[in-house]
Amino acid sequence: FLPMAAIFSILLMILTANWLQRRISWRDEIRRAINGRQFTVHYQPVYNDQLQRCSGAEALMRWTLPNGTVIRPDIFISAAEAEGMIVPLTRHLIELIAEDVQDWEVEPGFHLAINVAAEHLQHPEFVSDMLQFVEKVKHQQFVITLELTERSLIKDGDAVARKLDALREVGIKVAIDDFGTGHCSLSYLMTFSLDYLKIDRGFINAIESLGGETPVLDAIINLSFKLRLQVLGEGVETPLQLLYLQQRGVVFIQGYYYAQPMSNSALKIWLKEKGP
Ligand code: C2E
Ligand code: CA
Ligand code: CA
Ligand code: CA
């Protein structure tokens, strides 16, 4: 009969070993998944409500294991960030997108948005990675938009601002993703030159439950107009949510109401049927 303390320390050892193994294997698994081509990219159309047409798409990564299990991006993206794998993963994403877009039938100026993680912004090769992306897809004459979260702008503000300015020089646009959820001061709105503000789904969701009383959402929309930013509503699912945003002048709409994220082949069909 083992004393409690011994049982406890054995348990702790098992847990630690497990945790260590988990740590090592995330990194290895992501690397293996890149080589094994387990990652794919889905694209979600973005709608310009004023022009009544699709104006672009956001690239969203997907990971499917050989046994068919799908790992959610919020899980593997944060794992990749924590394990120092987000830069290789984003470089892989860029290659996948470059392959996918070869035969897209879109007009020049079609917006292509990619998500950039905070850690990548700090990386010394961030600007050259993005320039390489521009180069790879340049025959399509996309307007490329980088989606950044508020959190990613907190660290090294000046250095990051210079990098973003350099990219804006070559026509890249910068969007703030999940606006209003970052728990940080709004001073960055003055530090950085931005183009788009994406209103987080949470605020759009609240339109119905709050019965038309959405002071924070209204303030965000007004703020973006004051700052001369283009504003996009995310996660729009219902006609009521759409109407609410239309009435307040929000032009760009993304959400299941118009289209879900879809595979490359599905997108190409979608663009033919419903695209510009
Ligand atoms: P996000 O950048 O905010 O992407 C929007 C998420 O909302 C997507 O989830 C999309 O499928 C979902 N969505 C779009 N419209 C609707 C709607 O009408 N209703 C609801 N309920 N959901 C909607 P997804 O694809 O699961 O991605 C989750 C998050 O993972 C993304 O949030 C982004 O932060 C991250 N992520 C995905 N792909 C990448 C990537 O390639 N790189 C990086 N750094 N992050 C990525
Ligand atoms: Ca995004
Ligand atoms: Ca978002
Ligand atoms: Ca999000």
Side-chain angles (χ1 to χ4, degrees), residues 115 147-151 153 174-190 194-204 215-225 227 229-234:
N115 294 283
E147 299 195 356
L148 317 174
T149 58
E150 297 170 296
R151 187 177 71 84
L153 299 178
V174 179
I176 293 298
D177 204 355
D178 304 343
F179 184 82
T181 64
H183 307 290
C184 72
S185 92
L186 294 177
S187 61
Y188 70 85
L189 290 171
M190 278 141 42
L194 307 169
D195 302 286
Y196 287 88
L197 190 155
K198 295 188 81 169
I199 306 173
D200 188 69
R201 191 167 81 223
F203 298 108
I204 311 284
V216 180
L217 173 60
D218 297 350
I220 290 174
I221 295 171
N222 287 332
L223 178 68
S224 44
F225 289 143
L227 293 166
L229 298 175
Q230 307 254 40
V231 54
L232 183 152
E234 276 197 302

Side-chain angles (χ1 to χ4, degrees), residues 52-66:
Q52 285 289 305
R53 58 194 280 187
C54 169
S55 57
E58 176 179 1
L60 295 157
M61 242 187 173
R62 295 290 178 264
W63 182 1
T64 312
L65 297 175

Side-chain angles (χ1 to χ4, degrees), residues 108-232:
F110 187 85
H111 279 63
L112 179 64
I114 71 166
N115 294 283
V116 175
E119 281 67 13
H120 205 165
L121 275 175
Q122 314 293 332
H123 194 279
E125 279 162 46
F126 169 69
V127 172
S128 74
D129 283 350
M130 294 304 125
L131 292 176
Q132 253 179 45
F133 180 47
V134 171
E135 189 59 31
K136 279 201 164 114
V137 300
K138 82 165 176 235
H139 60 284
Q140 284 285 14
Q141 293 178 265
F142 292 131
V143 172
I144 292 169
T145 306
L146 306 181
E147 299 195 356
L148 317 174
T149 58
E150 297 170 296
R151 187 177 71 84
S152 65
L153 299 178
I154 300 173
K155 229 174 111 195
D156 293 339
D158 289 342
V160 168
R162 277 197 301 275
K163 292 181 187 181
L164 294 179
D165 284 342
L167 293 172
R168 289 176 87 249
E169 288 275 309
V170 299
I172 288 182
K173 305 283 181 200
V174 179
I176 293 298
D177 204 355
D178 304 343
F179 184 82
T181 64
H183 307 290
C184 72
S185 92
L186 294 177
S187 61
Y188 70 85
L189 290 171
M190 278 141 42
T191 310
F192 299 95
S193 309
L194 307 169
D195 302 286
Y196 287 88
L197 190 155
K198 295 188 81 169
I199 306 173
D200 188 69
R201 191 167 81 223
F203 298 108
I204 311 284
N205 241 323
I207 290 172
E208 267 134 10
S209 56
L210 298 179
E213 273 300 307
T214 50
V216 180
L217 173 60
D218 297 350
I220 290 174
I221 295 171
N222 287 332
L223 178 68
S224 44
F225 289 143
K226 284 252 161 63
L227 293 166
R228 294 197 172 75
L229 298 175
Q230 307 254 40
V231 54
L232 183 152

